[in-house]
Amino acid sequence: MAASMRLLVRRVLRLSHRNINVAAAGGSGRSGCCSGSSSCRCFSDATGDRSTHFGFETVPETEKAKRVYKVFENVAQKYDVMNDAMSLGIHRVWKDMLLHAMHPQPGVRLLDVAGGTGDIAFRFLEYVQSQQERQKRRAARSTQTPSWQDISTNYSTEDKDGPQESKAVVCDINKEMLKVGKQKADSMGVSAGLSWVVGDAEELPFDDDQFDIYTIAFGIRNVTHIDQALQEALRVLKPGGRFMCLEFSKVTNPVLARLYDTYSFQMIPVLGEVIAGDWKSYQYLVESIRKFPDQEEFKGMIEDAGFYCVHYHNLTGGVVALHSGFKL
Amino acid sequence: MLCGLYANDVIDSHNLPTAVCVHQLHSSPGFTDSCYDGLYPGHIQTTPIQKALLAVGSGVAALQNPYRHDMVAVLGETTGHLALINLRDRMKNDPEGYTILTERPRIRLSTLDLSRMASLPDGSFGREYLRFLEDNHVTPDSRADVKFVDNEELAYVMQRYREVHDLLHTLLGMPTNMLGEVAVKWFEAAQTGLPMCALGAVLGPLRLNSSRLQSLFTSLGPWALQNGRRSRCILSIFYERRWEQNLEDLRQELNIEPPPVILSAANKRST
């Protein structure tokens, strides 16, 4: 209850800020136009919204969500193939490292936001299942000769002890991505303990204190209001719950940074055009990475939202950073 | 610093890139519709490295999957700079071609008056073109837009070449099955000199069976090459104003002999 009140107060404050901005800006600094040009004639949006970045472009905040939706709608079918091609398969290692850091035990509830095609959720279920098998083996070793009582209880709880105990909820704003994820689940034969929910990271369709772990992998940089998404994460986590975020970040080593930039801007849009037939979406992708705050700044944002023990860990020299925080 | 990485250095001095941005009051539908960077709607600025990568990548993709028409298009755009300049100059030197370059007609279903064309007599260019579209189940709207040509006029020449392709099928009397397409490619390679046409002309026959290969090498091929070389520039013809003209007359005017072998569209199933 207190959390929702706080949310309401913040929203009212934000709205009042926006009105002040519009009044002050007048006719000049209104909605955006294509950046990087000298002769740009712009007719501004009637409502005079604040602007934000869409890659290197400046767009009204209201427009960013729509354009991001369009991008992911276009790339959904080739999303996984492109991830493998662009990262040369390394994204699998990053996601595996997220799971190892998470180390989920059976019985834990996961919310994977911006989970789209389900990579994290599938890994989570697999990990939990292998943990369960390990526990069973350990239990079996210790009770070599079970009593009839134990055998009968084992039979009755066999189904319940399965993946149903651990639930993974995949939440994404984009229906196309969820569709692709569901198809993958069907083809892999995974269905137990997995739900697919359409929802906005800035306004999650879940009650307070629901989940043990909240993950968002390569999704938070596409959110228009990152602070709102962080607050929602805090809200839906149980006390003691963990927030984990995988996201592209700043490369510290200057030589590596130069190589990474060249690769990003020269190669990735070309791959997007050749494999997915979509240059612009992948141009947006590499630009949006540059616009996202760096490791320390993001850590500060997570702390501001109310998380404790916030740490980050650089992967692949800072190309990706794994941030983690706890709700206490 | 980062913006410099994709600054374009292949810009014609007469065509400085200016971004035209008309932001509608309601939400803009796509990336290119109302607000475009570059020299024309759909233009994407690319560095020479990107063009080279695109040429290689699209070539590989087109070879693996010949139905990826967008890849064939990209290959043509990234490798055809010199040929496009040559074509543009030929058009400029021809009075009708010069008119086309200034008026910039586009062949789209929306610009064609199909009912009027259907009422034209048999043997007229317009009627035969319509028959070709129906028999082969194609539409003139399936041509991809030009993206990677860094000159506005050359981009139009490329677009015109794509849109004239179907008309060429009608002029040459070739259906859209593999053999017909290869014959048209041989003609186009001889006419335009575009590397993509040459590549298609060389690799296309690999997918033909032996009887069709024989037909290609003995009669169709030499005919296509000869006529490609001697014909008037096919891009310089204002087709949109010649629908009523008799097809045979048009062929004579362009210096194209009628095909030595009559191929029917029924051959479309088997290659």
Side-chain angles (χ1 to χ4, degrees), chain B residues 138-174:
Chain B
V138 290
T139 158
D141 287 350
S142 53
R143 301 291 151 193
D145 285 333
V146 177
K147 288 188 278 209
F148 301 112
V149 176
D150 292 328
N151 179 304
E152 201 250 325
E153 199 173 29
L154 293 180
Y156 175 73
V157 173
M158 190 71 185
Q159 192 72 49
R160 182 85 185 152
Y161 155 74
R162 274 185 206 158
E163 292 178 355
V164 161
H165 180 81
D166 285 339
L167 296 166
L168 207 51
H169 271 276
T170 314
L171 276 175
L172 297 175
M174 291 288 115

Side-chain angles (χ1 to χ4, degrees), chain A residues 31-35 37 39-46 54 56-57 60 63 66-67 70-71 74 78 258 261-262 265-267 269-270 273-277 279-281 283 287 290, chain B residues 1-3 5-6 17-32 35-37 42-47 49-51 53-54 57-58 61 68 70-71 74 147-148:
Chain A
S31 62
C33 55
C34 299
S35 58
S37 77
S39 57
C40 188
R41 294 163 285 152
C42 293
F43 301 91
S44 62
D45 194 85
F54 178 76
F56 289 156
E57 250 184 88
E63 183 151 328
K66 270 180 237 152
R67 290 189 62 171
K70 196 95 199 296
V71 164
N74 290 342
K78 291 275 166 85
R258 202 69 209 275
D261 283 342
T262 310
F265 282 97
Q266 301 300 319
M267 193 67 195
V270 172
E273 179 69 29
V274 171
I275 299 177
W279 175 286
K280 297 234 170 192
S281 295
Q283 182 76 33
E287 288 177 359
R290 268 70 197 173
Chain B
M1 189 264 281
L2 288 169
C3 293
L5 272 174
Y6 54 116
T18 53
V20 177
C21 177
V22 178
H23 201 108
Q24 291 165 305
L25 278 178
H26 309 288
S27 60
S28 68
F31 282 106
T32 58
C35 178
Y36 60 88
D37 251 336
H43 182 212
I44 297 176
Q45 307 265 20
T46 42
T47 63
I49 304 175
Q50 286 175 324
K51 284 204 180 62
L53 289 169
L54 273 173
S58 61
R68 289 276 318 258
D70 59 331
M71 287 293 98
V74 170
K147 288 188 278 209
F148 301 112

Side-chain angles (χ1 to χ4, degrees), chain B residues 216-229:
Chain B
L216 179 69
F217 281 119
T218 50
S219 56
L220 274 181
W223 165 78
L225 286 176
Q226 268 170 15
N227 282 279
R229 267 195 288 264

Side-chain angles (χ1 to χ4, degrees), chain B residues 100-216:
Chain B
I100 295 175
L101 278 178
T102 34
E103 287 187 35
R104 305 280 177 95
R106 296 289 297 264
I107 302 172
R108 291 251 128 96
L109 273 178
S110 52
T111 57
L112 296 176
D113 189 352
L114 290 174
S115 49
R116 192 176 76 85
M117 281 169 73
S119 65
L120 290 170
D122 280 344
S124 65
F125 179 52
R127 185 73 192 87
E128 295 308 313
Y129 174 55
L130 210 59
R131 183 165 296 142
F132 162 79
L133 287 179
E134 285 162 1
D135 288 348
N136 291 275
H137 309 292
V138 290
T139 158
D141 287 350
S142 53
R143 301 291 151 193
D145 285 333
V146 177
K147 288 188 278 209
F148 301 112
V149 176
D150 292 328
N151 179 304
E152 201 250 325
E153 199 173 29
L154 293 180
Y156 175 73
V157 173
M158 190 71 185
Q159 192 72 49
R160 182 85 185 152
Y161 155 74
R162 274 185 206 158
E163 292 178 355
V164 161
H165 180 81
D166 285 339
L167 296 166
L168 207 51
H169 271 276
T170 314
L171 276 175
L172 297 175
M174 291 288 115
T176 54
N177 59 19
M178 201 64 205
L179 183 58
E181 291 286 358
V182 174
V184 174
K185 269 285 167 295
W186 281 41
F187 181 95
E188 283 177 344
Q191 254 271 305
T192 63
L194 282 164
M196 176 260 290
C197 297
L199 202 64
V202 164
L203 296 171
L206 296 175
R207 296 181 166 262
L208 292 172
N209 62 28
S210 48
S211 66
R212 287 166 197 276
L213 263 179
Q214 201 178 31
S215 167
L216 179 69

